[in-house]
Amino acid sequence: MTESAPQTLQRRAIALVSGGLDSMLAVKVMQEQGIHVEGVNFFTGFCVEGHTHAIRKKDKDKNKRNNALWVAEQLGIKLHIVDISEEYKDVVLNPKHGYGANLNPCLDCKIFMVNKATLMLNKARELAGEKGFDFIITGEVVGQRPKSQRKETMPIISRESGADDRLLRPLSAKNLPETLPEREGWVDRGQLHDFSGRNRKPQMALAKRFGLDDFAQPAGGCCFLTDESYSRKLADLWQARNERRYELDDIMLLKVGRHIRPAPHYKLIISREEGENRFLEGYRYQFTSITTSSCPGPLALIDGKLASDDELRQAAAIVARYSKGRTDDEVVVEVRDPGGVVRQLPVRPATPDQVSPEWMV
Amino acid sequence: MSHHELDARRLLCPMPVIKTQNQVNALRQGDTLTVICTDPGALNDIPAWCRINGHTVLETREEGHEVRVTLEIGEPSIAL
Ligand code: SF4
């Protein structure tokens, strides 16, 4: 900048903040160049954040924080959290570009999120003019993820999201065509990075330079859809219902408890500890539930309809198997329908060989 | 200046934060809001959200299984 340069407008960027290291670094790189950054975090319903930790008691003391909020605070940026869980269903159910290794529609997901950010940018421009935003940044790194972060997919995301050259990836910018903020001189391309591939060393070095040492490092990705066992449970749900659809409650429940499906038309969700117990309790008005009343035991929800009293006894025996009375001759269970009508039922707890491993979802 | 209440019981994080944010966006600077939640995560998340976005937490309280966070709305930001 020359001495006579007029006071220039501080340029503003919206950052997609997942809570992981990469988006954190991308923001830092922009802040270093004097860009004002605000974060946006999307709630899809599949996020690994907060509540999963809150549910499970064993995680009670560690990491109950919401990573995106925590990251925003470390970076000193505002964070807008947006609930996209309803619209996101279409991304999960009908991904135009298909799935990754599990039910993760990463490429469509990225396009969707960047598109959302673009719409937000447009809206803010309309409402606030120059106090709005100029461009979007993400922590994407070329070649980092097999599905969504390949060199060929980067332009697809830019194009199909409608962000076009307003989308900048500070960590990989030098491997990609010049974008609007670089061309306009809002950011100095020379100081951006050329990270690529799965090697995380450059990120680590940069983190160190910025003095960042406490950050979340999600192994597979930012959400449960990259998790194999979670994806299996979701696929099981679709198969059992003979249709691919879900409600927010469904996908929340897939994160909790032991899931056992003794028959195609019903599944038991059995709590594994007190936190899950408390969580499942909130669903007793929507599901028939089973608890043990003659001894301490779990809380179980029945997802689906039982065909007969025999089936109810079978379900009760399975639940009793996970109670303190598992070796007793008889355990009394309490079956409660969603309306609150309660029925006591004495059962003999199922033996291990009466619970087929194949029922475990 | 007025006081408001938000029932976020049975919602899991980050939903209580999102509801808080959306409600705050509809209020004016100086208004106060009490959010009632059952997810204990809200005890961390709502104050963190307030710190980031320039609102003041006046009180956090745990009552049995419920968490109550009272905050005062600061300067408005651009509602994205
Ligand atoms: S891991 Fe999940 S949230 Fe992240 S890009 Fe893939 S589908 Fe989207």
Side-chain angles (χ1 to χ4, degrees), chain A residues 128-148:
Chain A
E130 294 197 325
K131 285 230 175 68
F133 293 89
D134 301 294
F135 59 102
I136 298 164
I137 63 164
T138 70
E140 289 167 290
V141 169
V142 170
Q144 176 148 279
R145 296 207 203 286
K147 186 82 196 177
S148 60

Side-chain angles (χ1 to χ4, degrees), chain A residues 44 88 104-107 109-110 113 148 220-226:
Chain A
T44 64
Y88 193 73
N104 49 314
C106 289
L107 186 47
C109 172
K110 273 275 144 62
M113 288 182 180
S148 60
C222 11
C223 80
F224 266 108
L225 292 169
T226 56

Side-chain angles (χ1 to χ4, degrees), chain A residues 18-317:
Chain A
S18 65
L21 177 62
D22 292 353
S23 49
M24 208 170 177
L25 292 173
V27 172
K28 276 279 189 193
V29 170
M30 286 296 96
Q31 287 177 322
E32 222 183 17
Q33 295 205 25
I35 303 293
H36 172 88
V37 183
E38 294 191 16
V40 47
N41 174 257
F42 294 107
F43 172 65
T44 64
F46 296 100
C47 314
V48 188
E49 300 302 337
H51 57 84
T52 0
H53 299 300
I55 294 166
R56 304 216 53 187
K57 200 173 145 218
K58 72 171 165 97
D59 292 333
K60 200 160 184 179
D61 296 318
K62 71 163 196 226
N63 261 352
K64 215 160 59 178
R65 70 188 187 201
N66 172 299
N67 278 327
L69 281 170
W70 185 83
V71 159
E73 195 166 16
Q74 299 307 303
L75 296 167
I77 62 172
K78 289 193 174 184
L79 182 72
H80 309 263
I81 309 180
V82 188
D83 174 14
I84 54 165
S85 55
E86 236 351 269
E87 305 156 80
Y88 193 73
K89 288 177 181 173
D90 191 48
V91 177
V92 178
L93 298 173
N94 308 302
K96 191 174 134 199
H97 298 281
Y99 297 104
N102 295 297
L103 286 173
N104 49 314
C106 289
L107 186 47
D108 289 82
C109 172
K110 273 275 144 62
I111 293 168
F112 184 84
M113 288 182 180
V114 175
N115 171 256
K116 277 274 150 194
T118 308
L119 297 176
M120 291 164 93
L121 182 141
N122 291 345
K123 188 179 136 205
R125 272 262 133 191
E126 223 169 82
L127 293 176
E130 294 197 325
K131 285 230 175 68
F133 293 89
D134 301 294
F135 59 102
I136 298 164
I137 63 164
T138 70
E140 289 167 290
V141 169
V142 170
Q144 176 148 279
R145 296 207 203 286
K147 186 82 196 177
S148 60
Q149 299 192 14
R150 283 179 293 138
K151 188 146 189 174
E152 317 84 84
T153 60
M154 295 281 176
I156 298 180
I157 296 169
S158 304
R159 197 174 56 240
E160 292 192 11
S161 66
D164 293 316
D165 64 352
R166 286 176 297 172
L167 173 59
L168 173 67
R169 286 90 164 196
L171 302 186
S172 271
K174 282 182 175 163
N175 300 323
L176 295 164
E178 208 176 33
T179 60
L180 180 76
E182 295 160 280
R183 223 168 32 240
E184 293 289 327
W186 304 336
V187 304
D188 174 7
R189 183 173 169 96
Q191 289 181 55
L192 301 178
H193 297 273
D194 59 355
F195 298 171
S196 79
R198 313 190 73 147
N199 174 11
R200 309 264 310 151
K201 282 207 188 106
Q203 278 97 317
M204 293 304 156
L206 191 57
K208 196 158 171 219
R209 176 155 87 69
F210 285 131
L212 306 171
D213 51 13
D214 180 15
F215 41 80
Q217 290 248 62
C222 11
C223 80
F224 266 108
L225 292 169
T226 56
D227 183 76
E228 205 228 301
S229 101
Y230 186 90
S231 289
R232 197 172 55 235
K233 287 187 189 129
L234 183 57
D236 163 80
L237 189 89
W238 290 340
Q239 198 189 7
R241 291 187 183 166
N242 264 325
E243 63 176 329
R244 286 161 52 89
R245 94 183 153 73
Y246 65 82
E247 297 303 327
L248 193 56
D249 279 340
D250 292 325
I251 60 174
M252 288 293 167
L253 285 168
L254 294 183
K255 298 175 186 174
V256 178
R258 214 185 289 280
H259 291 236
I260 302 177
R261 185 179 294 287
H265 54 274
Y266 87 94
K267 162 174 95 165
L268 290 164
I269 305 170
I270 306 177
S271 67
R272 289 171 295 193
E273 40 72 60
E274 202 196 307
E276 292 190 344
N277 228 50
R278 196 137 58 84
F279 175 74
L280 292 182
E281 219 155 272
Y283 287 91
R284 292 178 88 181
Y285 302 94
Q286 293 173 52
F287 294 85
T288 296
S289 56
I290 301 178
T291 49
T292 48
S293 52
S294 61
C295 64
L299 169 64
L301 303 180
I302 300 173
D303 182 16
K305 275 241 164 345
L306 299 178
S308 63
D309 257 17
D310 277 348
E311 245 174 31
L312 176 60
R313 266 187 292 275
Q314 179 193 31

Side-chain angles (χ1 to χ4, degrees), chain B residues 30-69:
Chain B
D31 285 356
T32 51
L33 174 69
T34 298
V35 190
I36 308 157
C37 317
T38 44
D39 184 338
L43 211 50
N44 292 324
D45 291 356
I46 295 178
W49 180 83
C50 287
R51 286 194 300 274
I52 293 167
N53 292 290
H55 310 294
T56 313
V57 176
L58 301 176
E59 186 188 39
T60 57
R61 194 149 31 114
E62 273 186 278
E63 275 172 16
H65 281 177
E66 285 183 6
V67 171
R68 289 169 164 263
V69 183

Side-chain angles (χ1 to χ4, degrees), chain A residues 1-9 33 185:
Chain A
M1 207 185 285
T2 62
E3 261 175 60
S4 59
Q7 186 74 32
T8 46
L9 191 73
Q33 295 205 25

